[in-house]
Amino acid sequence: MKSAQVERISPDHIRISGELGAHSIPGLLRDTSGWFAQADSITVDLSDVARADSAGVALLLDWWRQAQSDNTSIRYVNAPRQMRDIIDFCALDNVLPLS
């Protein structure tokens, strides 16, 4: 199991890699605390996510909430099919800004 990692490429660009599951989410939340207040908009690149489950979608929702709280726009790009399927099934496609 490849652990998830988060990398801040620039103040407005974050890249996530590895597996987004219940085991990795607490660390990612801790590592990204305060990041969303540092930019007007943020793009989160998910192209290097190897696997994601509902905990990974919950992470995206939490980041979306944090961004809203900090008046920062957020968008997610290159979400893996598995994650998009969960988002569609849960009818979150109108909430989470995927492109």
Side-chain angles (χ1 to χ4, degrees):
M1 181 179 314
K2 184 179 178 195
S3 65
Q5 295 183 358
V6 61
E7 178 182 7
R8 189 167 202 153
I9 306 299
S10 68
D12 62 350
H13 190 151
I14 296 171
R15 182 176 27 223
I16 307 299
S17 61
E19 296 186 7
L20 294 179
H23 64 282
S24 63
I25 302 308
L28 291 176
L29 286 171
R30 187 174 45 256
D31 292 346
T32 59
S33 178
W35 282 13
F36 302 98
Q38 298 176 18
D40 292 331
S41 67
I42 290 183
T43 298
V44 178
D45 185 354
L46 302 162
S47 60
D48 292 330
V49 172
R51 190 186 72 76
D53 59 20
S54 59
V57 173
L59 173 71
L60 301 188
L61 283 168
D62 190 79
W63 282 348
W64 176 82
R65 183 193 53 76
Q66 286 182 50
Q68 294 289 310
S69 171
D70 292 329
N71 294 316
T72 300
S73 67
I74 189 170
R75 73 183 182 111
Y76 301 102
V77 297
N78 304 315
R81 166 61 50 201
Q82 174 178 46
M83 185 172 266
R84 290 192 318 255
D85 288 346
I86 294 168
I87 290 167
D88 289 344
F89 179 78
C90 295
L92 294 171
D93 48 333
N94 291 327
V95 176
L96 288 173
L98 294 176
S99 51

